[in-house]
Amino acid sequence: DTEVTQTPKHLVMGMTNKKSLKCEQHMGHRAMYWYKQKAKKPPELMFVYSYEKLSINESVPSRFSPECPNSSLLNLHLHALQPEDSALYLCASSQRGVSYEQYFGPGTRLTVT
Amino acid sequence: DAKTTQPNSMESNEEEPVHLPCNHSTISGTDYIHWYRQLPSQGPEYVIHGLTSNVNNRMASLAIAEDRKSSTLILHRATLRDAAVYYCIPRPYNQGGKLIFGQGTELSVKP
């Protein structure tokens, strides 16, 4: 199974809502990633988890809160977002190390109203 | 992070070879060169990677210049399904394995 799944596929939320994005993989990967992608732009790295610990935070605003409850799951908790946070949120996983490829999920399309 | 330069767009005919170039003149000696592609409405997909030697897999070939300042992704027979944005990414060994995407090359394939 080489699949990364993400739920929900689409999400519309107001600026005062709290919501969560979920990502799951069963490939035994110990590195997991969140990326944000605006329309017609490349993906931008947000967070990296290694062995369930946050190892990289690319200066992401605190209204985005990642969580890695176990080696298969990665969540992104959203609170008080702005309309400019509307984007495609991509999750990925890989073995640790730069010679390994990352497997991406299909993404969650988020719209903030 | 090493900077990359790729053409914004390229066009190919179906069943013809495609050579997608990438310049990465500031690459360090330990950076792997990764290529990913993103088909419309999908997440990125790994294509191939290499360090110094040319590499082949079922999807493509990767030709790396001897000085490692450039590389070329080769699709041997383009199909309509190969229409995507192709990203060339030097990946540093000491930065947690993160991928930093550049602008990429948008490849269109004509039937």
Side-chain angles (χ1 to χ4, degrees):
Chain A
D1 180 9
T2 58
E3 192 180 19
V4 175
T5 58
Q6 290 189 243
T7 53
K9 285 188 169 42
H10 301 275
L11 178 63
V12 179
M13 60 184 290
M15 289 190 284
T16 58
N17 292 157
K18 285 186 183 181
K19 295 286 185 184
S20 296
L21 309 184
K22 181 178 168 182
C23 172
E24 195 164 2
Q25 57 89 13
H26 296 286
M27 293 177 276
H29 292 165
R30 301 308 295 272
M32 296 186 78
Y33 314 80
W34 280 115
Y35 292 82
K36 173 182 176 179
Q37 186 173 26
K38 302 280 277 184
K40 302 290 187 187
K41 296 290 187 184
E44 295 176 29
L45 182 68
M46 299 175 72
F47 302 105
V48 179
Y49 271 82
S50 179
Y51 288 106
E52 295 88 71
K53 290 192 185 336
L54 183 65
S55 61
I56 295 177
N57 176 341
E58 293 284 281
S59 303
V60 178
S62 60
R63 57 186 184 269
F64 296 91
S65 175
E67 178 197 21
C68 191
N70 61 53
S71 60
S72 300
L73 279 176
L74 186 66
N75 298 320
L76 186 63
H77 302 298
L78 314 172
H79 173 55
L81 294 193
Q82 304 296 310
E84 59 264 29
D85 296 321
S86 298
L88 181 68
Y89 287 85
L90 294 158
C91 173
S93 72
S94 74
Q95 300 283 11
R96 292 184 69 248
V98 294
S99 65
Y100 293 103
E101 62 268 36
Q102 289 187 14
Y103 292 81
F104 283 80
T108 293
R109 175 76 59 190
L110 174 68
T111 303
V112 181
T113 60
Chain B
D1 299 333
K3 297 227 182 314
T4 58
T5 304
Q6 297 180 254
N8 287 333
S9 61
M10 290 183 65
E11 206 170 74
S12 170
N13 294 318
E14 198 175 11
E15 299 193 3
E16 289 186 356
V18 183
H19 290 233
L20 296 159
C22 180
N23 285 323
H24 32 74
S25 57
T26 60
I27 195 169
S28 77
T30 51
D31 291 358
Y32 277 80
I33 300 159
H34 283 243
W35 283 79
Y36 283 74
R37 71 180 185 180
Q38 189 170 20
L39 280 64
S41 303
Q42 294 189 26
E45 173 187 34
Y46 167 79
V47 178
I48 200 167
H49 75 277
L51 185 59
T52 55
S53 307
N54 294 344
V55 185
N56 300 299
N57 66 19
R58 63 174 180 81
M59 287 180 71
S61 295
L62 176 60
I64 301 173
E66 201 168 327
D67 62 7
R68 294 191 4 104
K69 292 185 177 181
S70 65
S71 61
T72 301
L73 180 71
I74 303 163
L75 307 179
H76 295 286
R77 288 180 72 231
T79 68
L80 297 178
R81 196 195 170 274
D82 292 321
V85 179
Y86 286 78
Y87 296 101
C88 157
I89 307 172
R91 197 169 177 197
Y93 82 98
N94 61 349
Q95 293 191 27
K98 62 183 182 181
L99 286 175
I100 304 299
F101 288 79
Q103 294 303 309
T105 295
E106 184 168 12
L107 175 69
S108 57
V109 180
K110 294 189 295 184

